[in-house]
Amino acid sequence: MQALFINGIRDISIGTAPEPDAGNARVPIAVAGVGVCGSDLHYYLEGGISSQTIAAPFVPGHEFAGHVLEDRPELGLRRGELVAVDPATPCGHCEWCHRGEINLCPNTVFMGAPPYPGAMAERIAVDPAQVIKVPQDFTVDETMMLEPLGVAIHAIDLAKPRLLESVAVIGCGPIGLLMIALARLSGVGKIYAVDPVAYRAEAAGIEGADMTGADRAEIAAWTNGRGVDLVLEATNAPTGFQHAAEAARIGGRIVLVGIPEGDSYTLVAGLARRKGLSVKFSRRMGHVYPRAIDLVAGKRLNVGRIVTHHFSLADGATAFELQAACADGALKSLIMPNR
């Protein structure tokens, strides 16, 4: 079958991959659409994330939807049915799994994170527990977006937004946009959003931000120097932590969701310490798919409008280039391996 490989920094090729192993009752799936995620861009631009580095040509992709390739009545699945897939398989036996913190399991097998191949291929096989049934009227775009929506839901769970408190979202890529929409649904007060890319800041207004701009300094102006109660950071910048600390009020809260380039932050410690800030780091997600599906099915969120571009597998390199450059209004690019 055909697949997209990241061979090294800014080096993508389309080549032949082995058919997926459908043994041990795994479910074979034809990949209908897979999103280019921020973490995929780190592999593309930097060759890895922390200890997860690309040592050999690697198939990325963990946000995806696909069609089941065979009837599986024991699972309630029909051939041709569109499903979502949870890319994470925690071990189920460690201390963190027993605590219910499956997103923190150190033994997780995560599709699309080296050394485990992902879904930017024509077909894939997954464990039955990974298959997520969706309503029949869901589109490929909506089904694929359930995974990033799940990441945003988990971040909002950590943030515990309070009624009518002020919120700043720094970084308005797909995760930032989803957090804006969820924060609005949570009943917060003013939402301020900043992103240096103008069309992403504009999209933040569509998702529910009251004020949008290009620089975090505007947050101080909007709040008369006070800062906000809650900051949700979703950038890829080493300065993201510092900018979040600057935007927060004294005694405020920060949730860091983005992955910084170079795997490090720059922070003036005195600022965060003197403000007495509470900081949480968000890592993937837990059991959130049911809520994600309900939000989309109930039309409380329009995740489909975040998907702005569609590419064939052969044009996958263009999808990565477009996302990395923040060009042509690209928010979320979807690669469709079987188009």
Side-chain angles (χ1 to χ4, degrees):
M1 66 175 181
Q2 293 293 292
L4 180 147
F5 295 88
I6 299 179
N7 306 302
I9 294 175
R10 291 186 181 272
D11 182 2
I12 284 177
S13 63
I14 307 300
T16 302
E19 286 285 345
D21 181 5
N24 296 321
R26 290 167 69 81
V27 179
I29 291 173
V31 179
V34 53
V36 179
C37 175
S39 58
D40 297 324
L41 292 177
H42 281 288
Y43 296 129
Y44 172 64
L45 295 172
E46 301 177 65
I49 301 173
S50 187
S51 61
Q52 295 173 315
T53 58
I54 297 175
F58 170 72
V59 179
H62 63 272
E63 306 171 344
F64 70 101
H67 297 282
V68 178
L69 284 171
E70 62 185 28
D71 289 332
R72 295 295 293 270
E74 77 280 12
L75 302 174
L77 298 173
R78 306 180 314 279
R79 177 182 174 86
E81 183 174 357
L82 181 67
V83 295
V85 177
D86 188 338
T89 303
C91 73
H93 305 295
C94 69
E95 173 184 347
W96 294 273
C97 284
H98 285 306
R99 287 177 174 174
E101 298 172 340
I102 59 172
N103 61 301
L104 301 180
C105 171
N107 308 309
T108 292
V109 174
F110 194 87
M111 299 172 63
Y116 307 109
M120 290 189 186
E122 291 178 306
R123 290 171 292 282
I124 201 160
V126 302
D127 290 335
Q130 292 178 265
V131 179
I132 311 294
K133 291 177 68 69
V134 300
Q136 291 185 2
D137 62 347
F138 269 32
T139 66
V140 171
D141 290 11
E142 289 171 330
T143 305
M144 178 277 298
M145 283 295 295
L146 293 174
E147 198 279 342
L149 177 56
V151 172
I153 290 172
H154 177 71
I156 293 294
D157 285 347
L158 289 176
K160 296 180 171 56
R162 300 165 185 167
L163 189 65
L164 295 182
E165 73 175 348
S166 56
V167 177
V169 176
I170 300 178
C172 300
I175 299 300
L177 296 175
L178 291 168
M179 290 195 297
I180 289 169
L182 291 171
R184 178 57 66 211
L185 286 175
S186 299
V188 301
K190 292 288 187 181
I191 299 177
Y192 308 103
V194 294
D195 194 292
V197 179
Y199 73 80
R200 297 189 354 162
E202 182 180 351
I206 295 172
E207 296 302 328
D210 296 286
M211 303 290 289
T212 65
D215 192 281
R216 87 280 186 188
E218 296 183 67
I219 297 172
W222 293 330
T223 61
N224 295 317
R226 174 185 182 271
V228 298
D229 302 304
L230 170 65
V231 182
L232 304 170
E233 184 273 343
T235 78
N236 63 353
T239 54
F241 198 165
Q242 174 69 23
H243 294 175
E246 292 173 6
R249 67 164 171 84
I250 295 171
R253 309 182 329 274
I254 295 172
V255 177
L256 298 169
V257 188
I259 300 173
E261 294 176 358
D263 195 35
S264 64
Y265 289 113
T266 58
L267 176 70
V268 177
L271 174 70
R273 184 180 70 252
R274 289 167 184 161
K275 282 190 173 182
L277 300 176
S278 298
V279 181
K280 292 182 179 180
F281 291 82
S282 188
R283 167 74 164 165
R284 294 176 178 165
M285 60 180 164
H287 291 297
V288 299
Y289 272 97
R291 281 185 288 162
I293 290 169
D294 286 348
L295 284 166
V296 176
K299 309 299 182 186
R300 304 188 73 186
L301 291 178
N302 184 350
V303 295
R305 67 183 167 207
I306 293 176
V307 182
T308 54
H309 292 69
H310 297 79
F311 296 89
S312 67
L313 189 65
D315 292 328
T318 303
F320 274 79
E321 292 168 5
L322 195 71
Q323 289 290 148
C326 292
D328 195 37
L331 294 173
K332 173 67 71 176
S333 291
L334 187 72
I335 294 174
M336 308 179 78
N338 288 288
R339 187 167 75 172

